[in-house]
Amino acid sequence: MEPVLNYINGNFVRAASGFTLDTVNPATNTVITQVARSDATDVATATQAARQAATAWGATTMEERIVWLERIADALESEAETIAQLESLDTGKPISLARRVDAARSVDNFRFFASHAKGHQDPMFSDHGAVNHVHRSPVGVVGLITPWNLPLYLLSWKVAPALLMGNTIVAKPSELTPLTANFLAKTLHKVGLPPGVFNLVHGYGPEVGQAIVEHPDVRGISFTGGTATGKLVAATAAPMFKKLSLELGGKNATVVLDDAPLDEIMEGLVRASFTNSGQVCLCGSRILVDASIYDSFVAKFVAAVEDLRIGDPLDEATQMGSVISQDHKTKVESYIQLGIAEGGTVLTGGLSEEAPVTGVPAEGAYLRPTVLAELSASSRTATEEIFGPVVTLHAFSNEDEAVEMANLTAYGLAGSVWTADTERGHAFAKRMETGIVWVNTWLNRDLRTPFGGVKQSGVGREGGDWSMAFFSEMTNVCIQLP
Ligand code: TXE
């Protein structure tokens, strides 16, 4: 595969330093290709290109930009299979998941914001003999920094509204997953997006991400990634008064109430626990079960987990592939060891040398889905983000105890409640301190809704009107009527 270059001012260029880094296929631990390893010099060049393009792009109309988004969606849709293949190669995720989630949602992100903006009216308020017009203008140059778990899904989730609102972009994907960001750049180039409107700079967080956040001409930052990194981004951006959106980590609770129809919900619970090998910030990694149904739940859940097909990501039948890297596999295994040390019992899965995944390359970053029981809900294993195929089980005696357990971590991103009575589920959901709660479903996404978390899961919301507001500045013009 050809090396991955930066995309700056409409040109594909190497890093100024000439340095490169390798992107690796985690399922085989083999190098895919080299990637530009950029630094602040490249960020400065990209930001200058974005600044130069900002006036003309910001002067286009919303209608013109809607047409651009539709053109991009069509171009991506025509290459959906290529996107899925690249994503699966870069991340180790099953090709079926890359098609169904990553590629499809990347197209949807552009199509959704194009349609959501149609007929959009800026607010007007009349009173006291005056009329107030709220006008939206671009922020200017925005920095988009994204993680490795849903690479194009999350990058396009930011690029679409940023372009729609007339901004120009300096984007940095995770150094672990550059391929589909590169494909997006090639697609934008192919559809003829004006040079400098979208710029892509590859490399490491501290060398490239940090440079984007601290560049004085980058007026807004939309960051998705870990909480620890989010703190660094905020510490740099806050004193520069930049617009900031932080979508960070999670340690989400899946709550199974005593009237939940276990056989009906089991497939949904396994999806919520192990989709993308648990590498989705919205995954339920703590399963809280009413004590009265705990034993029957455990038997059914463990059986369903052990039915998961783990294997070659490019095999259509595979339901779970490898995790993102050897390093991440080591990190996840350290949490399995911690869970055992904290008194947990491994009900299924476990360390790879004890419970190896068979039929896959030994060098692959494979782990069996692991279920830990008997842990305190306040143990480190049950409160720290693992971001891998590991869930902990906990029994509760009543709903008040379930609420207390659900809310006891430092995170507050998402959660799900499973019950035969949706009104009961809705009432429970409103007691959860998170940005999102699903009742009898998971990852059911209406893109018009606000997406984001509270506490250490982040600041701000993206989605629908919230994305349009984040990626624009508002001016209120108050006109005294004669
Ligand atoms: O994050 P990292 P990862 C979270 C998920 C998990 C993490 C996994 O919970 O914790 O993301 O993704 C760049 N200045 N979410 O490991 O390391 C880095 O190069 C500026 C939550 O990639 O934080 C990468 O491009 N940038 C989310 C990006 O930051 C820096 C959904 C993220 O890297 C940097 C998905 C620095 N100093 C994952 N250091 C949600 N809430 O929606 C690194 N980066």
Side-chain angles (χ1 to χ4, degrees):
M1 185 181 289
E2 62 176 8
V4 172
L5 304 177
N6 289 334
Y7 181 63
I8 297 176
N9 203 26
N11 300 306
F12 287 93
V13 294
R14 298 167 61 84
S17 65
F19 293 153
T20 63
L21 57 92
D22 292 343
T23 187
V24 170
N25 174 354
T28 59
N29 203 23
T30 52
V31 173
I32 299 169
T33 189
Q34 281 63 51
V35 184
R37 177 180 172 180
S38 313
D39 58 29
T41 305
D42 306 288
V43 168
T45 309
T47 305
Q48 185 183 17
R51 273 201 68 200
Q52 284 165 354
T55 306
W57 181 251
T60 57
T61 64
M62 180 75 93
E63 288 67 30
E64 287 169 324
R65 298 192 296 261
I66 286 171
V67 171
W68 275 112
L69 262 55
E70 288 171 338
R71 200 176 294 161
I72 295 166
D74 292 345
L76 290 174
E77 193 163 48
S78 69
E79 297 284 357
E81 181 59 20
T82 303
I83 293 169
Q85 295 282 340
L86 289 173
E87 211 69 294
S88 178
L89 187 65
D90 228 358
T91 61
K93 72 174 71 188
I95 185 65
S96 59
L97 180 69
R99 287 185 185 123
R100 187 175 71 249
V101 172
D102 300 76
R105 175 65 189 277
S106 300
V107 174
D108 288 349
N109 284 341
F110 283 97
R111 222 179 279 297
F112 162 73
F113 278 107
S115 65
H116 188 69
K118 278 178 184 150
H120 182 87
Q121 298 291 331
D122 284 339
M124 271 175 58
F125 304 93
S126 298
D127 202 348
H128 316 300
V131 59
N132 291 272
H133 295 269
V134 180
H135 293 293
R136 286 198 169 145
S137 54
V139 173
V141 178
V142 294
L144 310 181
I145 301 174
T146 46
W148 49 252
N149 61 321
L150 297 163
L152 190 55
Y153 173 124
L154 291 170
L155 178 59
S156 56
W157 179 237
K158 300 177 190 294
V159 170
L163 292 178
L164 177 70
M165 301 316 285
N167 302 285
T168 56
I169 293 167
V170 180
K172 183 199 118 37
S174 172
E175 57 278 18
L176 298 176
T177 52
L179 298 185
T180 48
N182 180 51
F183 190 83
L184 176 65
K186 289 189 180 293
T187 302
L188 299 179
H189 187 72
K190 190 171 71 176
V191 300
L193 194 69
V197 172
F198 175 83
N199 302 279
L200 186 65
V201 184
H202 293 280
Y204 294 113
E207 296 170 359
V208 176
Q210 177 67 22
I212 292 171
V213 177
E214 66 190 21
H215 196 296
D217 293 338
V218 174
R219 296 309 308 143
I221 298 288
S222 176
F223 172 82
T224 297
T227 294
T229 310
K231 288 178 182 173
L232 298 175
V233 171
T236 302
M240 299 176 81
F241 300 104
K242 297 188 178 190
K243 290 197 84 171
L244 188 57
S245 172
L246 296 172
E247 304 286 352
L248 307 178
K251 187 72 176 186
N252 309 310
T254 299
V255 184
V256 183
L257 299 181
D258 62 1
D259 64 346
L262 292 185
D263 292 331
E264 286 170 44
I265 67 173
M266 207 45 68
E267 189 272 335
L269 291 179
V270 172
R271 272 183 64 236
S273 302
F274 296 109
T275 294
N276 202 33
S277 298
Q279 299 167 133
V280 180
C281 55
L282 300 165
C283 275
S285 47
R286 299 179 291 144
I287 305 180
L288 316 181
V289 186
D290 190 289
S292 66
I293 56 166
Y294 182 82
D295 293 341
S296 63
F297 171 84
V298 167
K300 292 173 186 292
F301 183 67
V302 168
V305 170
E306 292 184 339
D307 275 350
L308 281 172
R309 293 275 305 257
I310 309 158
D312 178 354
L314 296 177
D315 179 339
E316 306 281 340
T318 295
Q319 294 171 296
M320 202 172 110
S322 74
V323 295
I324 187 67
S325 68
Q326 287 295 337
D327 287 349
H328 192 57
K329 175 183 173 185
T330 303
K331 173 186 171 185
V332 174
E333 290 197 294
S334 74
Y335 271 103
I336 296 173
Q337 286 167 319
L338 175 66
I340 295 165
E342 290 191 302
T345 305
V346 177
L347 300 185
T348 185
L351 300 172
S352 56
E353 68 260 16
E354 287 150 21
V357 176
T358 54
V360 292
E363 309 77 29
Y366 285 94
L367 281 171
R368 301 200 69 80
T370 298
V371 179
L372 291 165
E374 314 303 325
L375 278 165
S376 155
S378 54
S379 62
R380 281 188 54 207
T381 312
T383 53
E384 293 179 14
E385 181 181 56
I386 300 173
F387 213 58
V390 179
V391 299
T392 58
L393 303 184
H394 311 275
F396 59 82
S397 313
N398 55 58
E399 285 195 26
D400 288 345
E401 187 186 8
V403 168
E404 188 187 341
M405 289 164 81
N407 292 334
L408 65 72
T409 74
Y411 293 100
L413 181 56
S416 62
V417 188
W418 303 77
T419 169
D421 176 349
T422 48
E423 279 183 26
R424 183 184 176 198
H426 193 170
F428 190 99
K430 289 194 290 187
R431 300 174 70 189
M432 294 175 79
E433 294 165 1
T434 58
I436 304 149
V437 184
W438 284 287
V439 178
N440 293 333
T441 186
W442 179 73
L443 205 61
N444 181 325
R445 291 277 293 114
D446 181 323
L447 304 187
R448 293 167 296 180
T449 59
F451 181 95
V454 297
K455 302 195 294 188
Q456 296 203 11
S457 289
V459 176
R461 294 295 186 274
E462 295 185 22
D465 292 347
W466 288 270
S467 292
M468 293 175 73
F470 176 74
F471 285 110
S472 57
E473 293 293 4
M474 283 179 253
T475 302
N476 184 60
V477 178
C478 175
I479 302 167
Q480 184 66 46
L481 300 176

